[in-house]
Amino acid sequence: MELLSLDPTPTPPRAFFGRRKGHTLRRHHTGLLGDLLPRLALDVSRPAPVRLGDLFDPPVDKVRLEIGFGGGEHLAAQAAADPATGFIGCEGFVNGVAQLLVHVEEAGLTNIRIHHGDAAEVLAWLPEASLAGVDLLYPDPWRKRRHWKRRFVQDATVATLAHLLADGAAFRFASDWEHYAAWTLEHLLRAPDFEWTAERADDWRKPWDGFTRTRYEAKAIREGRTPCYLVFRRRPRGVTPSCAGRAR
């Protein structure tokens, strides 16, 4: 397959095409959106800090990003398990943001920041090599061919992730739709800045260590769909991989 020549600092395309709101919010959820969210929200209208960890109080040394966190179960569990790391979550669906705020309040989490909007805005705002990891869990698969251009994983966004991830940091992807998993694997394998970490079948059949099952994954399994878990490592900058060994 022909390799693409990728701009090292591309402008990511729009990433969110889903619903903005679902069922009517409970009064407590509405209160959290008005009181807690402003304290945790990223201000992407201002330049990002030189040290991204300074977004948090207390400051942290590492920052991870979750794109489309749904109800926030995975993001909140990651933040609770690793209080020395900061976590940024992006979600356009207001009900999901409200659910994450409930997790933050109940667990007293201080190491989460939230962008209620399109992840593309955050990707364009973040500094180069500022992320210790990126998670994309169960994104909308956009099953119809005419909608494939709406999928988050595209050559441009893969190049953007390579720009933002620190050397050796991982992009982790999970999906219960076989075609989207194959699509993602194809796009990442042809990206010169990433390598697939799988060495055996269980590495993509089973979740990575520390993975927290979301309600969406539980529903997918109940309905007979099999999840796939893909992990890609950001290659060191300035190192050009040989063609051999880039794909399995």
Side-chain angles (χ1 to χ4, degrees), residues 49-64 82-87 110-113:
V50 175
R51 287 190 68 262
L52 196 60
D54 290 342
L55 289 170
F56 302 85
D57 185 17
V60 297
D61 293 328
K62 296 187 299 181
V63 178
R64 298 184 58 88
D82 189 2
T85 296
F87 292 83
T110 62
N111 56 334
I112 286 181
R113 294 295 179 265

Side-chain angles (χ1 to χ4, degrees), residues 7-241:
D7 182 345
T9 58
T11 300
R14 178 183 174 192
F16 184 81
F17 293 91
R19 294 182 303 158
R20 294 287 178 176
K21 189 174 181 181
H23 58 76
T24 301
L25 294 171
R26 298 176 182 176
R27 179 178 299 178
H28 182 58
H29 290 180
T30 301
L32 290 174
L33 289 168
D35 298 333
L36 182 55
L37 180 59
R39 302 202 299 269
L40 304 181
L42 293 182
D43 183 359
V44 296
S45 68
R46 302 177 62 181
V50 175
R51 287 190 68 262
L52 196 60
D54 290 342
L55 289 170
F56 302 85
D57 185 17
V60 297
D61 293 328
K62 296 187 299 181
V63 178
R64 298 184 58 88
L65 172 69
E66 184 168 334
I67 297 170
F69 55 73
E73 303 101 322
H74 181 269
L75 182 59
Q78 295 284 294
D82 189 2
T85 296
F87 292 83
I88 296 174
C90 300
E91 178 58 60
F93 190 48
V94 67
N95 298 67
V97 173
Q99 287 292 336
L100 175 61
L101 292 172
V102 171
H103 292 305
V104 170
E105 180 187 50
E106 291 179 347
L109 301 174
T110 62
N111 56 334
I112 286 181
R113 294 295 179 265
I114 300 171
H115 180 66
H116 177 209
D118 199 317
E121 297 166 345
V122 175
L123 297 181
W125 175 80
L126 289 165
E128 181 178 4
S130 60
L131 296 176
V134 175
D135 292 338
L136 179 65
L137 310 182
Y138 297 97
D140 194 320
W142 296 106
R143 296 186 293 278
K144 295 180 180 179
R145 177 181 288 271
R146 68 176 182 270
H147 291 155
W148 289 354
K149 62 181 179 294
R150 295 185 177 185
R151 289 176 170 175
F152 178 84
V153 177
Q154 306 287 345
D155 290 319
T157 47
V158 170
T160 298
L161 293 178
H163 176 71
L164 298 177
L165 284 166
D167 292 356
F171 169 52
R172 305 189 298 192
F173 173 91
S175 179
D176 57 318
W177 290 98
E178 182 179 353
H179 187 272
Y180 199 1
W183 167 284
T184 298
L185 186 58
E186 177 184 356
H187 280 71
L188 270 292
L189 285 179
R190 74 186 183 210
D193 294 318
F194 286 97
E195 60 179 341
W196 188 25
T197 64
E199 297 180 350
R200 57 188 65 85
D202 276 354
D203 290 339
W204 53 266
R205 289 174 177 166
K206 296 181 179 180
W208 50 82
D209 291 342
F211 181 86
T212 298
R213 177 177 290 184
T214 66
R215 284 174 291 177
Y216 185 90
E217 176 171 292
K219 177 182 177 183
I221 293 173
R222 286 198 307 271
E223 294 177 355
R225 296 189 298 276
T226 302
C228 178
Y229 309 90
L230 304 175
V231 180
F232 305 92
R233 184 182 298 112
R234 208 297 181 196
R235 296 179 186 274
R237 285 163 170 77
V239 176
T240 302

